Amino acid sequence: MKVFVTGASGFIGSAVVPELLAAGHQVVGLARSDASAAAVAATGAEVLRGSLHDLDSLRSGATAADGVIHCAFIHDFSNYAASTEADRRAIETFGEVLAGSNRPFIVTIGLAGLTPGRLLTEDDAGNAPSSAMSRVSETLGLSLVSQGVHASVMRLPVVHDNGDHGFVLDLINIARQKGVSAYPGEGLNRWAAVHRLDAARLYRLALENAPVGSCLHAVAEEGVTSRAIAEVIGRHLNLPIISVPVEKAVEHFGFLGTVFSMDIAASSTLTQQRFNWHPTQSGLIADLDEGHYFNN
């Protein structure tokens, strides 16, 4: 199968591409910069220059592909509305190209804000409340099914591995800056997690087998507490571990305070049963204990 992958050089996409290639698929990776193009080419994949703002490049990639995996998202939290709008337009563009075909289209969405405070399952509708974290990806992607698009949704928790420059590394850098490793409130709020290589394998299984309109959970751990995350960070940085009142989380963590205070637990029981997917890589705390997160 010839697969068009957005975000092919990103943290997740750079694991998805080799997984697809190893399984015998051809891959075309979207690349915005020279560095991204070089990284995609180094894997053995074909490069298509473009970006989420360049809808012609998206049309071109999807038209020539047997399937599309949409991993890219512009993580500009200073202008999150614009990032969400770019994502919306990209998904709509893919929908126009893939309508009426049986070519698989996988849309990526984070778990943050979907059903805070309880264990989310694959059969739960992703009705995120209106907030700074809301994204249209899931709702829009699944709405394309009525237009004849073979769409499915990949819900991602915290994705970790060597090379991560996202959420976990941000917490580490904040701890260094503040001189303490903090957690919100009692630190009992939970974060589902998965290793990047386990997630990449599920993307391939979804491409090959996901029924139209299905929702998959790339979840290896249902919920790691914020306190456990703060404790391992504090231990590695030799910093005091403290509680910050939830109402002061934004003051301490900045924008990340809202996110880190959420309770985002999720199950992958149905995904594991339906796709014979069983995570085998290290968990979040064990990955942190390997030390690579603290070498930056």
Side-chain angles (χ1 to χ4, degrees):
M1 190 181 298
K2 187 174 184 178
V3 189
F4 180 47
V5 179
T6 70
S9 65
F11 178 59
I12 296 168
S14 61
V16 172
V17 170
E19 173 71 26
L20 295 174
L21 291 170
H25 297 290
Q26 295 176 270
V27 178
V28 178
L30 185 69
R32 180 175 55 86
S33 67
D34 291 342
S36 294
V40 173
T43 67
E46 182 182 338
V47 176
L48 176 65
R49 293 300 295 264
S51 70
L52 293 188
H53 293 299
D54 180 4
L55 300 184
D56 286 340
S57 68
L58 302 185
R59 291 189 186 96
S60 175
T63 298
D66 301 311
V68 175
I69 296 178
H70 179 40
C71 291
F73 187 76
I74 302 169
H75 290 92
D76 181 4
F77 294 111
S78 65
N79 195 1
Y80 200 75
S83 298
T84 300
E85 176 62 14
D87 194 38
R88 181 188 65 78
R89 294 178 66 194
I91 292 171
E92 288 179 342
T93 298
F94 288 134
E96 293 167 4
V97 174
L98 299 173
S101 74
N102 196 38
R103 292 178 288 171
F105 175 38
I106 302 173
V107 176
T108 302
I109 180 71
L111 290 172
L114 289 177
T115 54
R118 68 175 181 83
L119 193 69
L120 180 73
T121 75
E122 297 88 336
D123 289 342
D124 286 321
N127 298 318
S130 177
S131 73
M133 291 304 298
S134 296
R135 280 173 58 181
V136 300
S137 313
E138 177 169 332
T139 302
L140 179 56
L142 293 180
S143 73
L144 296 175
V145 171
S146 64
Q147 300 174 31
V149 178
H150 192 106
S152 59
V153 171
M154 182 72 70
R155 288 175 174 167
L156 293 179
V158 172
V159 182
H160 58 90
D161 189 13
N162 196 0
D164 180 12
H165 294 286
F167 170 74
V168 176
L169 188 59
D170 288 339
L171 291 176
I172 291 170
N173 288 334
I174 290 170
R176 285 186 170 124
Q177 293 164 10
K178 298 286 186 175
V180 295
S181 182
Y183 55 86
E186 296 181 1
L188 299 180
N189 61 302
R190 302 157 296 172
W191 277 82
V194 69
H195 192 281
R196 178 172 59 152
L197 298 183
D198 284 324
R201 190 168 75 257
L202 186 58
Y203 270 101
R204 176 180 60 79
L205 293 173
L207 176 80
E208 297 169 346
N209 301 305
V212 61
S214 57
C215 182
L216 296 86
H217 279 193
V219 171
E221 296 175 284
E222 291 186 350
V224 181
T225 67
S226 61
R227 180 166 185 163
I229 295 171
E231 285 174 344
V232 70
I233 291 173
R235 184 170 71 250
H236 277 267
L237 296 180
N238 196 27
L239 293 175
I241 300 158
I242 68 167
S243 168
V244 169
V246 174
E247 61 272 17
K248 293 187 176 181
V250 173
E251 179 182 331
H252 182 87
F253 295 100
F255 174 83
L256 203 62
T258 300
V259 182
F260 194 36
S261 299
M262 292 179 177
D263 186 57
I264 308 176
S267 166
S268 64
T269 299
L270 297 178
T271 295
Q272 295 193 43
Q273 292 173 350
R274 292 166 178 169
F275 297 93
N276 194 28
W277 174 75
H278 304 291
T280 60
Q281 302 295 322
S282 58
L284 175 57
I285 299 303
D287 200 10
L288 281 164
D289 270 331
E290 289 181 11
H292 54 79
Y293 270 98
F294 303 94
N295 295 330
N296 298 293

